[in-house]
Amino acid sequence: QVQLVESGGGLVQAGGSLRLSCAASLRTFSSLSMGWFRQPPGKEREFVAGISWNGGSTYYADSVKGRSTISRDDAKKTVYLQMTSLKPEDTAVYYCASTRSGILLQRSHYDSWGQGTQVTVSS
């Protein structure tokens, strides 16, 4: 099983930016597709963004499209989520996850998860 460790969360004002990072332990990281999910307070965990194993395809939730960019650095075994124009409704615990499935939008297809990093956006 892959160990995933997120970092980069914090408190930011509305309109600000953050870059989240997720470092993976697996030697064959380049074979994994990766995703970012978030869980707002009192709500279900939801898909935010996904990137295919070769970086050739990316997917975004409508709520973050145009404001977020997912990318990966296979040499560093790290996936990133750059978020801009942050809004208070972006406040959540953000999780990265890995999958060998080609279906990136569904939570059930991911088999390894990080512990999460808190993002709080103040108005």
Side-chain angles (χ1 to χ4, degrees):
Q1 191 165 359
V2 184
Q3 288 188 324
L4 302 169
V5 179
E6 302 96 335
S7 60
L11 174 63
V12 62
Q13 288 188 332
S17 300
L18 279 177
R19 188 178 79 156
L20 305 183
S21 300
C22 172
S25 62
L26 192 65
R27 183 171 55 87
T28 56
F29 172 78
S30 60
S31 67
L32 300 175
S33 294
M34 301 295 294
W36 284 97
F37 289 75
R38 67 185 183 188
Q39 188 163 13
K43 296 185 179 180
E44 295 289 317
R45 195 172 299 188
E46 62 185 16
F47 172 80
V48 176
I51 187 167
S52 61
W53 65 273
N54 62 358
S57 299
T58 56
Y59 307 88
Y60 297 94
D62 288 343
S63 57
V64 303
K65 196 172 294 182
R67 301 188 295 121
S68 297
T69 303
I70 188 171
S71 61
R72 64 188 297 153
D73 184 336
D74 288 349
K76 295 182 178 180
K77 296 188 289 185
T78 299
V79 62
Y80 303 98
L81 182 68
Q82 177 71 50
M83 301 187 293
T84 63
S85 302
L86 284 162
K87 306 174 182 179
E89 50 263 44
D90 293 318
T91 294
V93 178
Y94 283 71
Y95 299 88
C96 73
S98 66
T99 179
R100 299 186 187 278
S101 164
I103 301 173
L104 301 188
L105 277 67
Q106 295 182 18
R107 176 181 166 185
S108 61
H109 284 262
Y110 289 81
D111 43 37
S112 293
W113 294 81
Q115 82 290 347
T117 186
Q118 176 71 46
V119 171
T120 303
V121 184
S122 62
S123 57

